[in-house]
Amino acid sequence: MNSNLETIIAGCIKWNRKSQRQLYQAFYPYGMSIAVRYMKDEAEAEIVLNDAFLKVYNNIEKYNRGQDFKPWFRKILVNTSINYLKKNKNLAMKINLSEIEHIADKENILSRLSYKDLIKMVQSLSHSYSTVFNMYVIDGFKHEEIANKLGISVGTSKSNLSKARAKLKTLIEEQLTLNNG
């Protein structure tokens, strides 16, 4: 960890407002890039991100300074996002195994879309699909971990991932059709 971040964290432990502001400013873009993937819009993402920063400030003394700060912060942010979705009952997880379909990947299809387009597509999914997609594909959770954190079955997690991929495939193909004429 660099000495500037060490100083900021030491200040946060002492509830120094300037240090808290510096930590917020330093990690806001990183945090927002994660929160926006879980929420439907930037306003919701900012609410969750601010809640996560509050949790960071309240628990900063538990942070192991021998490890990188980003993974610790990311874990808090992902958990805060999931808790927000649960609290707001946006995770109506359903399973219909008969609807699971195998998705074939096309080479270089994503290279023709911007990051913003992809984020908008993920945000357009239902909360249950986008949450499982983010946790599995982007944040690297296993289905067992997702099921445990969300209070769903492993089968539901797999089903929601499959459905999310299918919907994203359709959205990407529609976008490419629009872009190509």
Side-chain angles (χ1 to χ4, degrees), residues 82-93:
I82 292 166
N83 290 339
Y84 177 89
L85 293 171
K86 281 181 179 178
K87 180 178 151 195
N88 290 295
K89 301 192 188 292
N90 291 325
L91 286 175
M93 304 282 187

Side-chain angles (χ1 to χ4, degrees), residues 77-171:
L77 182 53
V78 168
N79 288 333
T80 303
S81 298
I82 292 166
N83 290 339
Y84 177 89
L85 293 171
K86 281 181 179 178
K87 180 178 151 195
N88 290 295
K89 301 192 188 292
N90 291 325
L91 286 175
M93 304 282 187
K94 297 180 182 175
I95 183 166
N96 185 350
L97 293 176
S98 64
E99 293 181 20
I100 295 176
E101 51 185 301
H102 178 69
I103 309 300
D105 294 333
K106 293 184 179 178
E107 279 186 45
N108 300 323
I109 195 167
L110 298 179
S111 66
R112 292 183 259 158
L113 296 173
S114 73
Y115 176 77
K116 259 188 163 178
D117 291 335
L118 291 172
I119 291 298
K120 284 181 184 176
M121 288 177 197
V122 172
Q123 288 175 333
S124 75
L125 298 173
S126 71
H127 274 297
S128 56
Y129 294 175
S130 65
T131 300
V132 171
F133 180 84
N134 280 315
M135 291 179 76
Y136 186 85
V137 174
I138 301 185
D139 292 322
F141 286 94
K142 295 182 181 351
H143 284 294
E144 293 77 15
E145 294 171 302
I146 295 168
N148 186 34
K149 285 187 176 287
L150 300 181
I152 59 175
S153 71
V154 172
T156 300
S157 177
K158 289 179 180 181
S159 173
N160 287 339
L161 177 62
S162 177
K163 290 175 186 176
R165 285 180 170 165
K167 180 66 176 168
L168 284 172
K169 179 183 178 205
T170 301
L171 292 171

